[in-house]
Amino acid sequence: MLVQQNIYFFILSLTAIVAAIVAFAAWQRRSICTASNPFILMMLAIAGYATVAAMEAVVVMLPEKIFWSKLEYVGSGSVITFFLTFALHFTNKNRWLTPRNTALLWAIPTFNVALVATNEFHSLVWSGFLPDPNGSNVVIYQHGIGFIWVMVCVYVYTIAGIIILLKKALLPSVLYRQQSWIVLAGAGLPLLGASLYMLKITPPGLNITPMSFMFTGLTCFVNLFRFRMFDLLPVARDTLIEKMSDGVLVLDHKNRIVDINPAAKHLIGAKKVHIGQFAEQILPQLPEIVKLYQKDESVKTQIFIDAVTPRHVEILVSNLHNNRRKLTGYLITLRDITQQYQADLELRRANKYLQKQVIKIEKLQAQLREQAIRDGLTGLFNRRYFDETLPQELLRATRDCYSVAVMIMDIDYFKHINDTFGHQAGDRVLQRFGELLRQHSDSHGIVYRYGGEEFVLVFPDMTIERAFDHAEAIRLSFQAMRVQFVDQEISATVSAGLGVFPYHGETTHDLLAVVDQALYAAKLDGRNCIKYAQSSQFVRSVKF
């Protein structure tokens, strides 16, 4: 094989070496990111493409040049296919690469290789070959319509990959922007070289496309080691932000949108959101919310968004600062709390209902309590309450060293009133007597209906003399009272027995026994009088 070394051979050889080094460096990072595998294959394809092009540049005989040129189309077809595959992986669109779609991607480059390989039979790719007028071993290829088809395929694959990367380059993430723009620069140079070759701007017969891939390798080398293209952290971070259910919105200090993820768009109900757009254009409440917070504060609040689907959204606003602690913008996190809000609302409603029920139950309990301790006819405390409270009152009197006066009052000849005027008239007399006792005892003691026509009065911290005067006032008032019933007037008198704790009894039983004996003495002494115990004898105080 006759060879003639030239500058193109060394440039292409260097391109192959650079591509191989970059492929090896990416291979060492292959476990970090799924995009690294198609990238490694792309760089190996570039190395192979440059190696074959170097061989085509160094050989002299035409048949050998044609052989190596045909192999160049294997390399170029592999490069563009792996580039498009890499672009899909790098931008997280690799779910499109199903087995069927992958086979379709490779079908066109494979057809093009077959077209070049059979050029002797149809001359669609190369219609002829001319020697270099400058006398070098460069061959000028005369291209046919098949070559134009092949180049169209190269442009379509490359431009498709560039468009995919361009969308990533326009994302707000600084790291992704840097990585994507460097990859775009590396992909754009070979495309530029191919364009110059097709437009015949390069020297006759010189295809600089494979040589331009050296710059692709260098840019990728920088991307790997300077911007850590396949680091898991930035890829995972952006994937997380894009996929997370919580909305993320970044504003600059003028409330312009710097970054927004799909969840935020969905929560806000905005279909079209542009970077640089003012926040109030998508959510009028945001500027006012941001103004509420002082510097260095992070505060949560809740808003209602009346979008197509109304939502309650929890908003967390955090201030962003540069290294000099200067406010540069705001990080706003949005979380859909509609279900939580509705659940809380239902819980509040249930609590409110339960509170009403508790109050209602408490009122009913109070009513039942009152009914349990009150006499239904007179409204006075009943005997059950008397039996419950008198022992407690005597215990307090013992503890605090004071006396308790107890009086039992009985309406005289009450059976005669019932027999003469009827039981309704008797009930009316009981009611009026109860009212009289309540009037005379509100500020002094407690009044009970003991049973039938008997009533008990308890006077804490009262001497026998004061209790007697009080009972006498009640007796005189009732004697003067006329009870109206229908068209009749009913009058009655009352007798009473009086004793004082602890002088006339130190227990409830003993005290009541003494008082009851005093009442009995009053009845025997003609009624309408008050008797109280003195030592072990009863003394009549007043009698009419």
Side-chain angles (χ1 to χ4, degrees), residues 271-341:
K271 295 182 179 179
K272 293 183 179 180
V273 179
H274 303 287
I275 303 302
Q277 185 178 359
F278 283 97
E280 57 262 29
Q281 294 178 275
I282 62 168
L283 193 59
Q285 303 101 308
L286 271 182
E288 293 302 321
I289 292 172
V290 171
K291 287 180 182 178
L292 294 176
Y293 307 133
Q294 302 296 324
K295 196 174 182 180
D296 300 327
E297 259 192 318
S298 295
V299 183
K300 281 185 180 180
T301 187
Q302 295 180 9
I303 64 171
F304 174 73
I305 299 179
D306 190 12
V308 177
T309 303
R311 293 184 178 88
H312 293 272
V313 178
E314 180 184 78
I315 293 182
L316 172 63
V317 180
S318 302
N319 296 317
L320 302 176
H321 304 88
N322 58 18
N323 294 335
R324 298 180 180 179
R325 303 300 300 166
K326 181 180 179 181
L327 182 67
T328 57
Y330 306 94
L331 173 63
I332 300 174
T333 306
L334 303 97
R335 175 171 295 178
D336 188 353
I337 58 169
T338 304
Q339 292 184 347
Q340 177 185 338
Y341 180 86

Side-chain angles (χ1 to χ4, degrees), residues 346-384:
E346 290 299 323
L347 183 60
R348 288 195 295 270
R349 288 174 178 170
N351 285 337
K352 189 174 182 180
Y353 174 77
L354 288 175
Q355 288 175 358
K356 289 182 178 179
Q357 292 300 109
V358 169
I359 293 173
K360 185 177 180 180
I361 291 172
E362 289 176 348
K363 288 182 178 178
L364 289 174
Q365 289 177 337
Q367 291 175 1
L368 291 174
R369 173 67 175 165
E370 282 293 305
Q371 291 174 3
I373 64 175
R374 294 283 183 181
D375 172 56
L377 179 64
T378 62
L380 301 175
F381 291 117
N382 57 21
R383 179 167 181 171
R384 175 182 176 184

Side-chain angles (χ1 to χ4, degrees), residues 34-54:
T34 58
S36 60
N37 292 327
F39 177 79
I40 294 170
L41 295 173
M42 180 183 72
M43 296 311 298
L44 290 175
I46 291 173
Y49 181 26
T51 300
V52 172

Side-chain angles (χ1 to χ4, degrees), residues 75-93:
S76 62
S78 300
V79 169
I80 61 173
T81 306
F82 284 129
F83 171 68
L84 184 55
T85 305
F86 160 71
L88 291 170
H89 276 274
F90 187 69
T91 56
N92 296 318
K93 292 181 173 60

